[in-house]
Amino acid sequence: MTTASTLYPIGTPGTPWGEPERAEWLAGQTRHRSFEADVLSVIERLGDRFDVQAYGSLDYGADHYPLMAIRSRGWRNDLPVVLVTGGVHGYETSGVHGALQFVDQNAAAYADRANVLVVPCVSPWAYERIHRWNANAIDPNRSFREGSPAEESAALMRLVASLGDRVVMHIDLHETTDTDETEFRPALAARDGEPFKPGEIPDGFYVVDDSENPQPDFQQAVIRAVEQVTHIAPADKRGEIIGSTAVARGVIEYPLTQLGLCAGMTGAAYKTTTEVYPDSPRATPEQCNAAQVAAVCAAIDYVLG
């Protein structure tokens, strides 16, 4: 069996990382893009039409990042809340830019029927470094649980807790990329001292439903909207998408809350995680952003309808 150590240069085969390995990993991380230029500047412009708030901050060495949320202007306590999150994994670019595009182009249309809360970049340090983890080699999207080890997750949970039980829908915007297989899964196996088991990256869009409270009609509404923009991932020869049984076209299920996933952190009846495939030769960055926007609009339309 192929082991993580044959593909990943840090660590000892079969031994979880300690502080020296984490420090070695961190030293190899490089800033490739600017959260301030790409995200904060856009949020600042949106502040002319929406309410913008800092709900926390991150400090990693000399790097300081405000954590920002965007709210409907004229927030009303008698309306339900729909939650949109992106950039939980910083390298999943369309999650961030799709969320911002949705706010710019579509969010105001829902203001009289729902309070819209958008957190476009949950993990700004990872966004800049095009990485899945935070600076402590922790995956925020496995950390949405009490006593979270990831401040990215803990801060967002505090923000959402302030809403009580008013969140009726949560859509969390993600991507599945080729680097999941070439970088991030080998790194995960090495970090945890586990063997790396190669998998397949699906070509196309899919969603993740909550196995503890499945909403198949809701998921299919998202799939139908997105297939107008980009193609839907087919199941593989085992009837699976990324190692999980395809329960419907373009749909798999996870126990979202049990796994500490972002989409499982609320008591919302309707939850989904989108997965765009940006490395497909059949998709452009613009299509990927548009697919995220289509998914968000379809999810909100279904719930409000």
Side-chain angles (χ1 to χ4, degrees):
M1 177 177 290
T2 303
T3 61
S5 63
T6 64
L7 297 176
Y8 207 78
I10 298 173
T12 302
T15 303
W17 287 2
E19 286 307 311
E21 290 81 12
R22 290 174 185 266
E24 181 183 354
W25 171 83
L26 180 60
Q29 303 310 309
T30 302
R31 181 184 283 108
H32 296 283
R33 54 191 179 185
S34 170
F35 171 67
E36 182 174 2
D38 296 353
V39 181
L40 290 183
S41 65
V42 178
I43 293 174
E44 183 177 357
R45 292 196 298 271
L46 291 170
D48 292 340
R49 292 180 285 143
F50 299 89
D51 292 336
V52 173
Q53 72 171 113
Y55 64 91
S57 63
L58 298 175
D59 291 290
Y60 288 126
D63 296 324
H64 173 78
Y65 301 95
L67 297 172
M68 304 301 296
I70 306 164
R71 293 176 179 259
S72 304
R73 183 150 289 173
W75 191 273
R76 287 169 44 185
N77 290 333
D78 61 319
L79 293 179
V81 177
V82 292
L83 173 63
V84 182
T85 50
V88 175
H89 291 142
Y91 72 105
E92 296 173 2
T93 304
S94 71
V96 176
H97 295 288
L100 291 170
Q101 185 172 316
F102 162 75
V103 176
D104 182 38
Q105 298 180 355
N106 306 92
Y110 298 103
D112 61 339
R113 293 181 288 158
N115 298 313
V116 179
L117 176 62
V118 179
V119 181
C121 191
V122 174
S123 298
W125 182 92
Y127 174 83
E128 291 196 328
R129 286 152 185 85
I130 313 182
H131 213 285
R132 185 176 182 89
W133 296 341
N134 69 13
N136 298 318
I138 294 171
D139 185 343
N141 204 38
R142 296 299 184 275
S143 303
F144 287 88
R145 59 181 81 250
E146 187 175 352
S148 175
E151 180 55 26
E152 294 87 347
S153 310
L156 182 57
M157 290 173 72
R158 289 192 294 269
L159 171 67
V160 172
S162 69
L163 303 173
D165 60 358
R166 294 169 55 210
V167 179
V168 298
M169 189 281 295
H170 179 191
I171 184 168
D172 190 31
L173 310 181
H174 284 255
E175 294 181 344
T176 300
T177 71
D178 288 345
T179 52
D180 286 2
E181 189 70 11
T182 60
E183 167 64 22
F184 298 122
R185 289 180 192 151
L188 173 64
R191 186 198 68 183
D192 295 347
E194 300 288 344
F196 170 60
K197 300 177 181 178
E200 298 179 17
I201 300 298
D203 182 356
F205 177 91
Y206 64 100
V207 294
V208 184
D209 198 358
D210 186 6
S211 61
E212 303 305 305
N213 180 35
Q215 298 290 340
D217 292 344
F218 171 65
Q219 308 299 332
Q220 284 302 309
V222 174
I223 293 292
R224 286 193 298 272
V226 171
E227 70 179 340
Q228 305 304 313
V229 178
T230 191
H231 57 291
I232 306 304
D236 62 22
K237 60 186 178 183
R238 295 177 298 276
E240 296 177 344
I241 297 174
I242 209 160
S244 294
T245 299
V247 297
R249 181 168 174 260
V251 183
I252 61 174
E253 294 179 349
Y254 289 164
L256 300 177
T257 303
Q258 178 184 326
L259 293 176
L261 302 179
C262 182
M265 71 173 171
T266 76
Y270 299 96
K271 309 171 187 178
T272 195
T273 299
T274 67
E275 295 286 354
V276 165
Y277 180 49
D279 296 316
S280 174
R282 301 164 59 190
T284 65
E286 292 75 21
Q287 277 179 296
C288 292
N289 294 343
Q292 302 283 23
V293 173
V296 174
C297 291
I300 298 175
D301 289 342
Y302 182 91
V303 172
L304 297 183

